[in-house]
């Protein structure tokens, strides 16, 4: 039998796991986007302008 505190801990852990999975996907996509932008920059000679 689990206590409410244990159930909350399990729910919190599930939420953290879901968040980590989402963050990993975001960073993987950002890496691919960065590579594509670098490739385009190399082809066109375009440079990003700092604000």
């Amino acid at each position: 039998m689990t206590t409410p505190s244990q159930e909350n801990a399990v729910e919190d852990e599930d939420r953290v796991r879901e968040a980590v999975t989402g963050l990993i996907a975001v960073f993987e996509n950002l890496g691919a986007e960065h590579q594509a932008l670098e490739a385009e920059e190399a082809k066109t000679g375009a440079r990003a302008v700092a604000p």
Side-chain angles (χ1 to χ4, degrees), residues 39-48:
E40 184 174 338
E41 177 185 341
K43 277 195 314 190
T44 63
R47 295 273 178 201

Side-chain angles (χ1 to χ4, degrees), residues 2-48:
T2 60
T3 66
S5 179
Q6 289 171 323
E7 289 176 9
N8 288 340
V10 169
E11 290 173 5
D12 289 345
E13 186 174 327
D14 288 345
R15 281 193 285 265
V16 169
R17 288 179 191 267
E18 289 177 20
V20 167
T21 301
L23 286 171
I24 289 170
V26 166
F27 282 109
E28 286 174 346
N29 289 336
L30 286 174
E33 180 70 16
H34 179 71
Q35 288 177 341
L37 290 170
E38 283 184 328
E40 184 174 338
E41 177 185 341
K43 277 195 314 190
T44 63
R47 295 273 178 201

